[in-house]
Every structure is written in C-alpha cells, then in structure tokens.
C-alpha cells in the first residue's frame, strides 16, 4: 500500500519519483519555484502589435477542446496554453513575422497540448493535437476571429505535430515538414520550452540547447514571472483564464 499522502505537493512527489498522471499546482510547489528563481535579468516589457494583443486578450480556450477535461486545470492545461501563446507572440515579434504568421504561431501554441491524455510523457500528443486541429479548424480559427486557410492550417498543424519531437529525433518526413513551416514551428517549440518553469524539478526547466531560438535567453525572466504571477493568482481563487490574463496585463502583453 502506498504511504504517499493524498495532499503531497508536486515538488514532494517529484523528489520521490511518484508524480501522478494528473498534476495540479499547489502552494508548496509555487513557493519552491519562487525560492529557486534563477539568476535572471529583470523581465522587460516587450512591445506587441495590437493584433497580437487582441488575440491574447480575447481568444477563449474552451474546455471542450481538451481530450481529457481533467487536464484543463492541470500543469498542461489552459494556463500553460495561454502562457505559451503569449510567449509565441513575443517570439513572433522578435522574429519579425507578419500579422498572419504571428497569429498562426499564437493559435498553434494555444492548442499544442489540448489532446494530451495525461501530464506525464504522453508520446504522440502533438500528432493527435494536429489531427484534431485540422478537423476543427473553422471552430478554432473562428474562436480567434480569424479565417482558416489551407496554408494556415498546414503551418499550425505542423508546428503542433512537431512540438513534442526533439530536433535530433526528426525523421526525414519531419525534416521535410519542418522546412515548410520552419519559423512557426521553431517559435512554438521555444515558447513551450520557456514555460517549463512551472515544472517541479530544476533539471526540467528551460534549456536553450533544445530549441532554435536565439531570443530564448533574454525571455527567461518574462517566462518565469508569467508562471509565478499567474499560478499564484490561480491558487488565490482566480479562474485559469483570469489568472493568466492578470499576469499578461502586468507585463503589458494585453
């Protein structure tokens, strides 16, 4: 019989190697994250174009989009999705993407984990999410006030499919797909990696060696603050959406 208390924090469970399939933030873990803040430069307030701000402020992510409703509030749920979308918006700005490509990156980042079955190493969840996105393109793009086009669907779907595959594990087909949506894919993978400060082990936190975005290092402070502020707000009683929007507003991203 397991002796792990039902109220054990994620940080305690991670130390024991007993993280459950469904993982939800708790006060002890967010305190540990705060106490272990890396030596990061102060987070600057990036300037986003009006259209990107509107997408971040008004795009609602429905619980129905998640394959497992239990994950909507988990560490791979709506808060992670919204922060990843915001970081993708900043990276799109840094890379000089036009409005269409920036919106595609934001949308792909918002739904990249929606077809996860659990919070552990759920291999293939990117491919499942890409298939789901293609099947629900009109609903998703319409939710953001955008029109789905074949090019946008292919680019977003490619970024979503490849986000959970390490670059070194790319097959020839993966490399071919990546070449057709390179900038958007690289942005989504980097944005996803930047939000890893929410995870309860230091070795799981962002590592620039695994991404192809030179701006990652300068965005670490922003990424850390978005996790800390939004998770604290969520634990204080705000909804997941409201918690992240509060953090985004504090950083001038909405």
């Amino acid at each position: 019989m397991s002796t792990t208390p039902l109220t054990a924090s994620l940080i305690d469970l991670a130390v024991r190697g007993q993280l459950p399939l469904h993982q939800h933030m708790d006060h002890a873990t967010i305190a540990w994250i705060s106490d272990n803040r890396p030596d990061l430069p102060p987070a600057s307030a990036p300037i986003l174009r009006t259209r990107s701000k509107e997408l971040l402020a008004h795009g609602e992510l429905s619980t129905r989009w998640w394959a497992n409703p239990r994950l909507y509030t988990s560490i791979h749920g709506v808060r992670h999705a919204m922060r990843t979308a915001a970081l993708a918006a900043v990276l799109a700005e840094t890379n000089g993407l036009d409005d269409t490509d920036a919106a595609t990156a934001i949308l792909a980042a918002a739904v990249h984990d929606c077809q996860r079955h659990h919070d552990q190493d759920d291999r293939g969840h990117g491919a499942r999410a890409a298939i789901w996105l293609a099947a629900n393109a009109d609903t998703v793009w319409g939710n953001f006030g955008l029109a789905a086009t074949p090019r946008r669907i292919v680019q977003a779907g490619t970024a979503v499919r490849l986000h959970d595959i390490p670059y070194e594990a790319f097959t020839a087909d993966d490399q071919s797909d990546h070449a057709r949506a390179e900038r958007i894919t690289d942005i989504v993978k980097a944005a996803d990696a930047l939000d890893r400060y929410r995870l309860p082990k230091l070795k799981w936190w962002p590592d620039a060696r695994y991404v192809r975005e030179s701006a990652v290092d300068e965005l670490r402070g922003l990424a850390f603050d978005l996790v800390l502020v939004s998770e604290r707000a969520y634990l204080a009683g705000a909804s997941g959406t409201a918690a992240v929007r509060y953090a985004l507003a504090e950083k001038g991203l909405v």
Side-chain angles (χ1 to χ4, degrees):
M1 181 179 294
S2 172
T3 58
T4 303
L6 295 177
T7 56
S9 66
L10 289 182
I11 183 60
D12 288 337
L13 292 170
V15 169
R16 299 170 186 165
Q18 296 177 344
L19 283 169
L21 286 176
H22 305 109
Q23 301 165 26
H24 296 267
M25 188 58 68
D26 56 82
H27 291 281
T29 299
I30 199 63
W32 174 86
I33 291 171
S34 178
D35 290 344
N36 283 277
R37 180 186 177 93
D39 184 16
L40 300 169
S44 58
I47 298 175
L48 291 185
R49 70 194 75 183
T50 300
R51 186 59 175 138
S52 292
K53 285 187 174 184
E54 290 173 348
L55 294 177
L56 296 178
H58 303 300
E60 296 288 345
L61 307 182
S62 172
T63 309
R64 294 190 298 274
W65 293 5
W66 265 253
N68 184 339
R70 291 184 65 183
L71 296 191
Y72 188 76
T73 57
S74 80
I75 63 170
H76 286 100
V78 68
R79 302 188 305 285
H80 169 57
M82 291 178 66
R83 290 192 301 261
T84 304
L87 292 164
V90 175
L91 286 166
E93 205 74 42
T94 302
N95 281 271
L97 270 60
D98 62 22
D99 282 354
T100 297
D101 285 350
T104 302
I106 292 168
L107 186 148
V111 302
H112 74 284
D113 271 349
C114 72
Q115 295 300 293
R116 271 183 166 273
H117 294 156
H118 52 74
D119 287 308
Q120 292 186 355
D121 184 17
D122 185 6
R123 295 185 180 183
H125 69 271
R128 294 195 301 269
I131 293 170
W132 176 89
L133 180 58
N136 294 276
D138 287 338
T139 297
V140 175
W141 265 266
N143 181 77
F144 287 88
L146 301 170
T149 66
R151 179 177 180 272
R152 292 174 177 177
I153 295 170
V154 168
Q155 288 189 317
T158 298
V160 169
R161 185 181 78 78
L162 295 176
H163 88 269
D164 64 336
I165 303 175
Y167 286 107
E168 64 272 17
F170 276 11
T171 65
D173 286 341
D174 294 337
Q175 292 171 357
S176 178
D177 286 349
H178 176 257
R180 289 195 291 268
E182 181 174 351
R183 292 199 296 173
I184 291 172
T185 299
D186 291 347
I187 283 172
V188 172
K189 288 173 76 70
D192 185 29
L194 276 167
D195 197 52
R196 293 178 69 85
Y197 287 116
R198 75 196 191 284
L199 302 180
K201 274 193 178 181
L202 296 179
K203 69 177 184 179
W204 294 338
W205 284 12
D207 190 331
R209 293 176 297 175
Y210 302 118
V211 298
R212 295 182 180 176
E213 275 297 325
S214 59
V216 162
D217 281 337
E218 65 189 69
L219 294 178
R220 289 175 183 271
L222 172 65
F224 187 92
D225 288 352
L226 288 178
V227 167
L228 200 62
V229 173
S230 60
E231 294 298 330
R232 281 175 170 169
Y234 176 70
L235 291 173
S239 70
T241 297
V244 177
R245 286 188 178 154
Y246 172 75
L248 297 181
E250 183 181 88
K251 297 301 179 182
L253 297 178
V254 295

